[in-house]
Structures are given as C-alpha cells and as structure tokens.
Amino acid sequence: MEEIIEKIKANYSFLKIDKIEEEEEIIDEDGDTGEIEVYTYYTIADFKGNKDISINVLSDTKAQRVEKFLKFNSIILDEYLGVKVEEKYEFVLTLVSSRYLGNPGRKQHYEIQMNYFKNELKITLESNAEDMASIELSNLLRPTIRRNWLLTIQNFRRTSPDGLNSDLRNILNSVLFDFEYSFNLAFEPILINNVNKRIPRLKRSSLAIPSHPINFTYKKYIPELIQYYHLSEKVEYIPFKFLCYFHIIEYFSDKSAYIVVAEQVKHLLLKPDFHLKTDNYIEQAINIFKKENEKHLTDKIKLTRVLQQFVSMTDFQEYLDETKLLDHFKKDQIFQCSKPLKISALDFTNETTFFQSLASRIYAMRCSIVHSNPDFDETKAVPFVHTTENVSMLNLEMALVYEVSRNIIVKSSDTR
C-alpha cells in the first residue's frame, strides 16, 4: 500500500495525504490487556472540485481504486455524488422504486433530450456502467451494490443567473420526476454529504468486549423505542437521523405528565390524615391536574418535563466532557439557513437552567428540521438547509438526542 501511496503523491502533488497510526490494546481470554497492536492507514483529501471530500485508504485495493479514479482527471461536484469529466457531468443515482427491473446484471440505457436556458441537453440514464469516473468515486465513498445507475448530462455550457449548483439541481429534479411520472420508475441523486467521510461523526465511547462470559440482567424494553433507535442507525439522511432519536423523546411527552400527576396524587392519598382533611387534599389534587393541564399545552414544556424525568445533569455533563463536546455545547451555534438559525448554549449553572437550555436547544433543532415553510415566523422555526457546514454542525448536535434517547430506553425498561 505504501508504494502505491508514494506513487500517488508523486503524480498528484495537489492532494493532501496523511499517514495515520492507531494503537489498539489486545485483550486476552481473562479480559486483561496485553500487547499493543498498531494499525496504519492513510487519509487523502483536497481532490479537485469538492475540497470537503476525504477518503480513508486501508488496503492495496483501496489505494489502487484511488489511483484509478485520479486518472480520469475529473472534478468532484459540490452537492451530489458525481463528477465533471471534460464537458460531461456524471451523477450516481439510487433507485427509489420497488419495481422489478429484471436481471440485475442486465445493462439498460435510455436517452433523453431537453432544452434548459438555451442548452440543448443530451441526457442518458443507464445501469451497470463501467469505467466511469463517477462510478469509481462511488466505489470509494460507499459500499458497492449489485446494480448501479448513472445519469450523464452533455452539452451543458451556459449557466443561468442562479449558478451551476442550482442549474444541476433543477435539471436533475426535472428529468427524474418527469421520468418517474411517465414510467413509474423513481430515481434520486445521492447527496454527497451522506457519504462524505470528512464530515465529523458523533463520537461514542465504548467498552472493549471481554472474551469471558458476560452477565446481563433481563429488562423488558419498549420495542418501539428500540426500533426508532435502530432506524436512526440505518437512515443516511442526517436530519432524519436526528428525528428518529427525537421520536424516542416524544414518546413520553404526554406520559411524563401522567407520571408526575400520579406520583403527586399518590402522595396525597397516602397522607396519614387524608380522611380528616379530605376536602383540603382533594382541592390540592384538583390544582395539580389544573397545573399540569396548563403545562400540557406547549411542546417545549412537555420536552423539558421528559428531560427532567430521564436525564441527570451531572451524568450528561460528564458524557459531553468524555466525548470532548462540552465546550461546543457551552456556546451558542448559528446555522446558515434561509435566515440565520441560532441555537443557545447549554447552561449548567443549576438544574433548572440546564433543563430549560437543553430543551430549548433540542426543540429549536427539531422545529428547524420538521418545518419547511421558508416564510414561517423565525421565532417559531427556521427551516433547515442541507449544506456541508450545516450537516457537520448537525452531526455534533446529534450528540444531545443520542444520549437522551439511550437514557430513556434504559430507564423506561422494566425488570419484572
């Protein structure tokens, strides 16, 4: 591998290539740590075009694929998984439809013509394309699938006033939706942010798995919560990942109110003098219901109540510190959307300010993802815009709902 990397360095000096050495402790059968094993790999970045792309090279095969891709002398595009090779644009597509298309190994080829701002476009849609720069890039950034689909655009030489990225997005949307409408066969381009290794991922601390038998205590978990938790792992679209974790929190939005009321009313009923002061205690119980009913009206108060029920401020602060994210969350952050979206810092002064600030930060992010109306009152929500910078920041914000959801799943389980 090192020999191929040196060859790449010599032929493509514009690339940034870093050698990474990571140490891993070897655990013996008794669970004790022994020798240290060193793993070596390379990261390659600063490709032509999209400077945010980074590729990890761990084997000779991967290094050879990088070299093969570079020989196309292509330019990586900004928004979608695709490249520009000379005057041709190539986009890797994913098939959305469940329609059966026959033998996966069969090649299919369709030609489309369309005029776009005085560009007489020649567009091709084909399956199982080979020796194409975009296919090689796809093989580097995402697992190989049995049937690949590729869309190419030729004769696009004159951009509109909105710029290249907007033009390519408009052309793809127009062609692919018309194709879907006409032939009931849906494709969509792959957002390059979803397969970009350079976007910082959520850091998760984990224990080494021992070789000796492990003892677990049976717990009856709520199956829907585990389904949401696993769905978040499967979903590629980063905002939807966030919502899957949020669904776990939302599951208890109303249940937490019932628990609060039940505990307080139970406390009144068990008073030794309840039978002597019945009217007084009943009045207190009515006030409890009225108070909680008022709280029940706002989603943010519901969220705060769930967090208070399942989250410990001290444990949460330790978690953020362990994952080296504490400083990040102690600061305000601004997402650049149609309007600036400001999310406030976490305040660890006391439990009241902590839970209010945690609820506000999570709720602001949730509303931004859920709402799409760009003319919406910005005090209620600023719709999320999928850019590399925003996705990178959202990956960090995921740390909040990830840890809260884990706590909820565990603490809502029953050992009976």
Side-chain angles (χ1 to χ4, degrees):
M1 179 170 64
E2 188 171 348
E3 183 179 342
I4 302 173
I5 293 295
E6 290 301 321
K7 185 179 176 183
I8 292 174
K9 284 182 180 179
N11 294 332
Y12 306 96
S13 57
F14 56 85
L15 293 174
K16 183 177 184 295
I17 302 177
D18 294 319
K19 184 178 182 179
I20 310 296
E21 293 183 342
E22 292 186 352
E23 296 182 349
E24 182 174 322
E25 292 182 325
I26 306 301
I27 301 174
D28 60 24
E29 294 182 356
D30 297 323
D32 299 323
T33 57
E35 299 180 359
I36 303 294
E37 189 166 341
V38 179
Y39 294 91
T40 302
Y41 65 95
Y42 295 87
T43 62
I44 303 179
D46 284 358
F47 291 88
K48 288 184 179 179
N50 192 327
K51 298 297 183 183
D52 291 315
I53 294 297
S54 178
I55 294 173
N56 294 333
V57 180
L58 295 85
S59 65
D60 287 349
T61 302
K62 192 72 171 284
Q64 290 166 356
R65 282 183 170 176
V66 171
E67 188 177 25
K68 183 177 180 181
F69 168 71
L70 290 168
K71 288 180 179 178
F72 285 98
N73 194 30
S74 60
I75 298 173
I76 300 176
L77 300 177
D78 292 333
E79 188 169 351
Y80 299 116
L81 179 55
V83 298
K84 180 182 179 184
V85 183
E86 296 178 347
E87 296 302 318
K88 180 174 64 175
Y89 294 88
E90 302 174 2
F91 297 89
V92 179
L93 305 180
T94 182
L95 180 64
V96 179
S97 303
S98 58
R99 177 177 163 187
Y100 179 65
L101 297 176
N103 184 353
R106 180 167 64 94
K107 290 182 179 291
Q108 293 167 279
H109 183 95
Y110 309 104
E111 294 186 3
I112 302 164
Q113 294 179 344
M114 186 175 73
N115 181 282
Y116 180 81
F117 283 87
K118 298 183 179 180
N119 292 280
E120 294 296 335
L121 303 179
K122 178 183 177 182
I123 300 170
T124 58
L125 177 63
E126 58 186 315
S127 66
N128 296 318
E130 297 175 335
D131 295 324
M132 306 282 282
S134 54
I135 297 301
E136 295 303 325
L137 179 62
S138 178
N139 289 337
L140 289 169
L141 294 179
R142 61 198 289 264
T144 303
I145 54 177
R146 292 184 65 189
R147 185 202 303 256
N148 65 59
W149 285 91
L150 187 70
L151 184 142
T152 60
I153 301 173
Q154 294 176 280
N155 299 337
F156 179 52
R157 300 183 178 91
R158 182 182 302 177
T159 58
S160 75
D162 293 330
L164 176 64
N165 288 337
S166 177
D167 288 339
L168 294 176
R169 188 186 314 122
N170 291 339
I171 293 169
L172 288 170
N173 286 339
S174 177
V175 170
L176 294 178
F177 188 78
D178 284 358
F179 196 90
E180 177 183 359
Y181 187 93
S182 301
F183 308 111
N184 196 27
L185 194 56
F187 299 91
E188 64 181 10
I190 299 167
L191 290 167
I192 202 162
N193 287 336
N194 290 348
V195 293
N196 187 1
K197 302 297 188 297
R198 206 169 192 178
I199 291 178
R201 299 297 176 183
L202 176 62
K203 297 177 181 178
R204 306 177 182 183
S205 57
S206 58
L207 300 174
I209 303 175
S211 56
H212 59 72
I214 304 169
N215 290 321
F216 281 145
T217 300
Y218 166 74
K219 292 178 284 295
K220 185 178 181 180
Y221 289 109
I222 299 173
E224 296 94 324
L225 303 188
I226 294 178
Q227 288 171 2
Y228 284 133
Y229 190 77
H230 287 166
L231 184 59
S232 180
E233 293 295 310
K234 299 174 186 177
V235 171
E236 287 189 350
Y237 188 59
I238 306 300
F240 287 177
K241 279 181 175 288
F242 187 97
L243 292 182
C244 288
Y245 287 129
F246 186 84
H247 281 326
I248 296 173
I249 305 172
E250 192 177 39
Y251 184 89
F252 286 94
S253 290
D254 292 328
K255 293 180 184 294
S256 63
Y258 305 149
I259 292 172
V260 169
V261 170
E263 287 295 324
Q264 293 185 24
V265 171
K266 180 180 177 182
H267 177 72
L268 293 177
L269 292 173
L270 293 178
K271 289 275 190 177
D273 59 348
F274 179 84
H275 65 290
L276 300 173
K277 301 179 179 180
T278 303
D279 291 343
N280 177 265
Y281 286 132
I282 288 177
E283 184 179 351
Q284 289 185 43
I286 292 172
N287 287 332
I288 290 171
F289 281 107
K290 288 173 63 177
K291 181 181 177 182
E292 289 302 322
N293 188 54
E294 290 171 359
K295 287 184 178 181
H296 192 73
L297 297 178
T298 68
D299 288 338
K300 190 182 290 187
I301 290 177
K302 290 182 185 181
L303 174 58
T304 305
R305 192 164 47 203
V306 175
L307 297 175
Q308 289 172 330
Q309 183 180 346
F310 290 103
V311 175
S312 160
M313 182 183 77
T314 303
D315 292 346
F316 206 82
Q317 189 169 5
E318 289 178 359
Y319 154 72
L320 293 179
D321 192 38
E322 287 176 1
T323 53
K324 304 189 186 317
L325 292 173
L326 186 57
D327 289 341
H328 171 84
F329 286 108
K330 282 187 174 181
K331 301 174 184 174
D332 294 345
Q333 301 294 334
I334 297 179
F335 288 78
Q336 297 301 330
C337 303
S338 57
K339 303 170 186 174
L341 167 63
K342 179 182 177 182
I343 50 177
S344 301
L346 298 187
D347 186 346
F348 291 92
T349 304
N350 54 59
E351 288 198 344
T352 300
T353 59
F354 166 69
F355 286 115
Q356 287 176 347
S357 62
L358 180 59
S360 295
R361 188 153 180 154
I362 292 175
Y363 189 69
M365 204 70 254
R366 172 262 180 196
C367 290
S368 176
I369 295 170
V370 167
H371 295 293
S372 62
N373 183 355
D375 299 318
F376 207 55
D377 183 353
E378 64 184 275
T379 60
K380 297 179 181 178
V382 178
F384 184 80
V385 175
H386 195 107
T387 65
T388 299
E389 293 75 16
N390 286 345
V391 169
S392 296
M393 292 174 64
L394 183 57
N395 264 299
L396 298 181
E397 294 302 313
M398 200 93 66
L400 300 183
V401 287
Y402 166 76
E403 182 64 11
V404 171
S405 63
R406 288 206 311 163
N407 276 281
I408 289 175
I409 291 174
V410 172
K411 293 181 180 180
S412 64
S413 65
D414 192 347
T415 57
R416 291 175 294 177

